[in-house]
Structure formats: C-alpha cells, structure tokens
Amino acid sequence: MINKNGEQQALFPYNDPGQLPIKPLRQPNGQWLRLEIALPGYTVWLRAWEVQVGRVKLYLLDSNDAENSPVHRGITSELYGGGSELRLQQEILLGIGGWRLLQALGIKPEVCHLNEGHAALAVLERARSLMDETGDLFEVALAITRVGNLFTTHTAVPAGFDHFAPDLIKQYLGQYASQKLGITLHDLLALGRQNPDDESEKFNMAYLALRGTGQVNGVSRLHGEVSRQIFEPLFPGWPKSEVPVGYVTNGVHTPTWDSMPADDLWTEACGKERWLGTTESLEKHIRGVSNEKLWAFRCAGRKSLVDYTRERLSQQLAAAGDLADAIEQAKHIFDPNILTLGFARRFATYKRPNLLLHDPERLLRILNNSEHPAQLIIAGKAHPQDEAGQALIQQWIKFIRQPQSRARVIFLSDDDMFLTQRLVQGVDVWINTPRRPWEACGTSGMKVLVNGGINLSELDGWWAEAYMPELGWALGDGKEHGDDPDWDAQEADALYCLLEQQVVPQFYERDKHSIPRSWVARMRESMARLTPQFSSNRAVREYTEQHYMRAAQAYIGRANDNGAIGREVINWKRAVDKHWSSLNIGQLRVETKDHEHVFEVEVYLGNLGSDKARVQLYADGINGGAPECVEMNIAHLQSCGPGYCTYHATASSERPAQDYTPRIIPQHPGVAVPLECAHIVWQK
Ligand SMILES: *Cc1c(COP(=O)(O)O)cnc(C)c1O
C-alpha cells in the first residue's frame, strides 16, 4: 500500500492453505505425501499440495511442516526474500525435491522443462535417479537424461542469473556430489562455471541448466539474440550466431485476460471453441466485425474500467486514512469518454516507469488539453528491497497529488493479476517503456490485444517482432543505448510527440457516426493479427512441435537398450576430448573456374577417426544474414595418409574465396554440437 507520504509499504498477508483452492496430496493409503530432503546436518520435510488448474495438475512443495525446526518451516515462505543461503535452500528443495516428488508419484516424464535456472538442480537429481536404476556413472546418466531436458532462459542480463559462492555449494551439495552422484566437488562446480579451474568463480545456475539440457531457448526473437551473446563465453571459438540458443516467444492465455464483452464478441465472430485448438481462422473472422460494433465494444470496456477505478480508488484512499472529501471525489473521478492510457507493471528501473514524467508540464498539457484530454492509470509495485524502484512510485504519487493532475491521473496500489485483468480489459492504449534490450519478452501488452487495446511500446521484447505501423505505435530506433540519460530524454520526447501528434488526435478524429475510423482500423488489425500470434495456443504448440517431441524422442533413443547409446556418446566424447588438441588444418588451396571455387585442404586428425569430426568451410553472413557453412568431404580413400586426410568442397564464386575459412567441429549421430561438445578448430 501507499502511505500518507506517498511511500510504498510492503505487507505480507499470510496465505492460509485452508482458504486457497489447493488440497493436500494424499497417497493411496490416505496419508499426506511428504518428502524428506537432506540438507547439511539435518533433514527438511516437505509437504506436497495439489492444485487442479483446468485440465492440468499442479503440485506445490511446502516446508511448513510441524516436523521441521521453525527456521526450516520458513524456507518456502517467501519468494525473493533473504540472502543467497536461503535462496540455495529453496532451489535445492525445488529442484531436487521437485524431481523426487514426481518419482514418489510414479510419474516418469520423458521431458522436463526448466523455466529459468532456479530449478536447475533437477537435472542432477534426474541423472541420479537413473544412476540408481542402471548403475551407470553420473557422466553417462547425464548424457542420457539431458537430451530430455529443455531450458528456457528469461533473463536479459547476466546479473539476473542466480549464482552461489563455491563454499556455499560445498556446504550444501558437497556430500550430495560425492555420495549420491559419485563426482568430486570440483566436477560439480565445473557444471556451473565458465572456467572449471577458476576456484573463485561462482556457481551459475543458468550454466548448470545449459549443461544439463539438450535444448535452450529465450522468450522472444530479440531475447534469443541477447541470450546467444550472454552464453557466448561458454562456446569459445564459436561464432555468436551458432551459440545454441533459440527462441519461443511467450504468449498469454487469452481466456484469462478477455473481458466478458470480449468473450461475447469473439464468440460471435469465431465460435465458442476458438481458444481450444489451432487459431489460423481467427484472424479472418474477427476482421469481419463492423466498425460500429468494434467501437461500441471499446467504449463499453473503457466505461467499465472507469467504474471499477472509481470504486477501487475510493477504497484505497479510505484504507490509507484519507479525508472523506477525497474519498467522495474519487467516486466521480475520470470520464468514460476520454482517451484512457494505462501503465502497470513491476516498478523496476529498467522499465523506466517514470519516462512519462520526464517533462511533467508537457504531460499535464497532454492530459488537460481542453478539447482532446486524456486520462492515465498507473499501477505497480517495487520489490521491498528495491529502493530505486520505490522512489519511482513516490515520484508518481507526488505528481498525482498536485491539483492540476488529480483529475486525470491515478495510481492504483496492490497491483496483481486481478487488477491487471481489469486494466487490460479497459484501456485504449497500453504503454511500455523498457530500456532495450532488458525486457526479455514482456507479456502485459499481449493481454490488451483480445480486448481491443492498442500497444505503444519500446521496440523491445515481443514488441520488437510484433510491431508494424498499422498495429500500434513504437518507441526507440531498434538499437541499444545503455542507460544514457540523453537517450532517455530523446525517447521521452518521442513518447510525448507520439501522444500529441498521433495517439490523441486519432482517438478524437470522428466520422459522422462519431467513430474514429483510423483508430478502429488499427484496433482491428491489432486484434486480428496479434491476438492469435501472441497467445499461449501458439506458444505451447511451438514448444510441443519444435522442442518437446524432439526431446522425448532423443531421450527415449539414448535410454534405450539400458542406455547403450548414452554410453556410446560418452565414449565418443572422451575420444574427442583426448585427441582434440592435436588437430590442425593445412593450407587451403583454391581453383576457380566455371563460376565455382574448388577448395582442397589437408586436415590432420591424428588418432581421432574422421567419422568423429566434420570439416567445414565457414563464411560470415552477408549484411547480417545467416553465415554460410559448406561441408568438406574426403574425396576418396587414397586421399588419406598417416594421420591426415584431404578434404574437398565447392562453392559458388559469387563470393571471394578468401571469405571461406576451414574449421573442424566434433560430430556424432544425435549429438547436439556445440551444446554437448563445444570444441572447434579454425585454420590458423
Ligand atoms: C502480466 C503481468 C505482469 C507482467 O507484465 P510485463 O509488462 O510483462 O512486465 C506483471 N504483473 C502482473 C500482475 C501481470 O498480470
């Protein structure tokens, strides 16, 4: 809540499980399912809960068990609280406890999807449980299980990853490594380090996740690119474009965010089952809705938000002990016919929630324009320890408490999904101003699409791939500028200009039926083209088709025949590790005729069989395009001598021959290179 001084006060209401839609997870004999997890010197009991979310079961783990000491009962009480020791305890309970829970339930998934690195210890426990079954070494068990694991990274800055001091890992996981995994502490730490031999390097959970999975992705196209840069140091010698991180752009669960009237509108246009399957036909059908209908729908959405806002604001003021007059005024604030802008999200500095406040006078002129006014709803909260974020909230509250702004801007406290639901259903324009490229994806802007809200956002996260001029408005030049205050000032200016010259005039530019045609046209395009594309229907389908199916097949393949292929992969990897440093590449010879370069090169593979590596010609992409890789082949048996082979390739002479550089990379059927084996040799 916001106190009288405009400061955020953090409250921690107790979650009484008896009042939540969850129930104890019971075993067939009726007993509550509990897990015993070893931490150094003591064990922690975890109670398991079950939640039915639609057709999906969600299991929750909770250390608030009477058997535990008071301090351990609190381990799972709060997210993002405490220091790094509590954090590690939580991640042990989540990762190791999580996998144990599945085992206790007899669930044997082929695919395990790690949502961020927090649960990455699950990859160790998954390997350990296979070791129990087969007696394999950890190395082999990890090679088998990792291809069934998928890692989605959500962070745009390396500092966002959890990392732990080596001593803390030693204290909490040293015994687990030696007694359960049969590996040394050094080997365990190596899984979370860039340089395994740097004893001071911290243990990075995202590195562990990457080493324990067979596929890695970011959460938007731009974030995929950013992530390839972040993980580049783990793949020395590899071009950034080949760092093995792809992307699946997030999507929102549309039925959670649409208003009742939006549900009616879409049902009439696209049918009742529209979010239960594929979404290809939705664009065409929703586009058929008339201007009149779309505009009436939009106006009704805005009106119901204004009603809600009045009620909520008056309650909020009453709770903060405001005067009766102010509470009464709040019940009549705002106008259902005025352009309504919304900004609600976590108050983190990278989101620049005060960019709109850069020039407060100019903002006031926009809001108080006598002919074409606008009203603005702000909501959000800052982390209790984020003082900079809290200062931004206070800045807004100060601004709002001025008499000139009071009628046109409000701040709603206690932002959560319920408030967000009402906001995204009612606003005309949803504003987002992150500092590129820090918004890995962003999802709140997707929630307005189904309700006919239009996005005005920085070209960052999902908007960098979604934006087209006919769909909304964009801020920024599509480049990164760090936290340069001059650039912030320029973007603030651009934001005001957009509002003054485009958003506000278009909203009020009415035809003879009082309909703003260009506004409705943009709204229709945004609804039709973006709603299906940024839905969880599309995202889940992409995960399934491009990742889960592949992961399941790969895991079944490696686990088959008691893990035979897993062992074969490890034997191959050992041979590659052993011989790699002796490989090198001779001089590249080129002959150019008939528009073709014919390349030839001696490659020294020493004792590494030529089937264990491949030789390629690499050329950088042209104008930022994809790089070109041409496979080189051994022409015939006679071209091999002691420890070397002559490789050939041809390429079109459109590019100069000097563009191509030979390289050797590891190869083995079904092994992801460079994710599973990152060696590479370039011609010197
Ligand atoms: C959707 C949502 C968010 C995420 O918003 P972003 O703009 O992606 O940061 C945050 N909080 C709540 C309550 C939400 O519903």
Side-chain angles (χ1 to χ4, degrees), residues 1-3 7-15 77-79 316 319-320 381-385 390 413-415:
M1 67 180 285
I2 306 296
N3 71 10
E7 296 156 342
Q8 172 180 292
Q9 303 285 291
L11 307 176
F12 297 90
Y14 177 66
N15 275 327
S77 70
E78 185 187 322
L79 200 58
Q316 177 179 317
K381 50 191 171 200
H383 189 281
Q385 276 147 29
Q390 290 174 40
S413 61
D414 195 21
D415 184 30

Side-chain angles (χ1 to χ4, degrees), residues 377-414:
I377 308 178
I378 308 281
K381 50 191 171 200
H383 189 281
Q385 276 147 29
D386 179 5
E387 287 176 13
Q390 290 174 40
L392 299 175
I393 290 185
Q394 206 175 0
Q395 202 185 336
W396 269 112
I397 303 289
K398 276 201 176 129
F399 175 78
I400 291 170
R401 287 183 180 174
Q402 304 173 96
Q404 315 90 290
S405 44
R406 201 167 280 162
R408 293 274 188 259
V409 199
I410 61 162
F411 184 95
L412 295 179
S413 61
D414 195 21

Side-chain angles (χ1 to χ4, degrees), residues 252 257 344-346 350-351 415-418 420-421 430 432 439 441-445 447:
V252 293
W257 303 104
R345 50 187 48 77
R346 285 186 301 117
Y350 83 85
K351 291 187 183 262
D415 184 30
D416 61 5
M417 281 181 64
F418 300 109
T420 299
Q421 247 170 358
W430 191 250
N432 192 16
E439 187 85 299
C441 177
T443 54
S444 62
K447 300 168 189 167

Side-chain angles (χ1 to χ4, degrees), residues 431-499:
I431 297 177
N432 192 16
T433 53
R435 192 167 269 144
R436 179 175 158 130
W438 288 42
E439 187 85 299
C441 177
T443 54
S444 62
M446 300 175 185
K447 300 168 189 167
V448 305
L449 300 170
V450 70
N451 298 300
I454 303 179
N455 281 274
L456 188 179
S457 169
E458 177 73 30
L459 287 170
D460 194 10
W462 76 285
W463 195 238
E465 70 199 73
Y467 169 73
M468 299 277 230
E470 64 273 27
L471 302 172
W473 294 280
L475 265 183
D477 60 356
K479 296 199 181 80
E480 285 80 54
H481 298 268
D483 55 4
D484 177 10
D486 289 340
W487 181 255
D488 286 351
Q490 277 187 52
E491 290 211 328
D493 179 59
L495 175 55
Y496 296 129
C497 287
L498 266 178
L499 290 170

Side-chain angles (χ1 to χ4, degrees), residues 84-101:
S84 70
E85 183 164 358
L86 176 62
R87 186 91 179 145
L88 180 59
Q89 291 173 337
Q90 292 179 332
E91 295 189 358
I92 289 171
L93 300 189
L94 173 66
I96 297 177
W99 192 265
R100 292 249 184 101
L101 175 67

Side-chain angles (χ1 to χ4, degrees), residues 124-191:
L124 301 181
E125 185 61 12
R126 183 176 186 181
R128 192 201 62 79
S129 64
L130 185 69
M131 290 166 67
D132 270 2
E133 277 174 40
T134 61
D136 273 319
L137 294 174
F138 172 72
E139 197 184 15
V140 173
L142 187 65
I144 295 169
T145 50
R146 75 177 287 182
V147 294
N149 295 332
L150 165 67
F151 170 39
T152 298
T153 170
H154 290 256
T155 309
V157 278
F161 297 136
D162 280 317
H163 32 252
F164 299 108
D167 277 347
L168 204 58
I169 296 292
K170 179 178 171 192
Q171 181 191 344
Y172 277 89
L173 292 164
Q175 281 206 346
Y176 179 74
S178 61
Q179 293 175 9
K180 304 281 185 188
L181 305 180
I183 61 175
T184 62
L185 180 67
H186 179 271
D187 289 344
L188 174 65
L189 286 167
L191 290 167

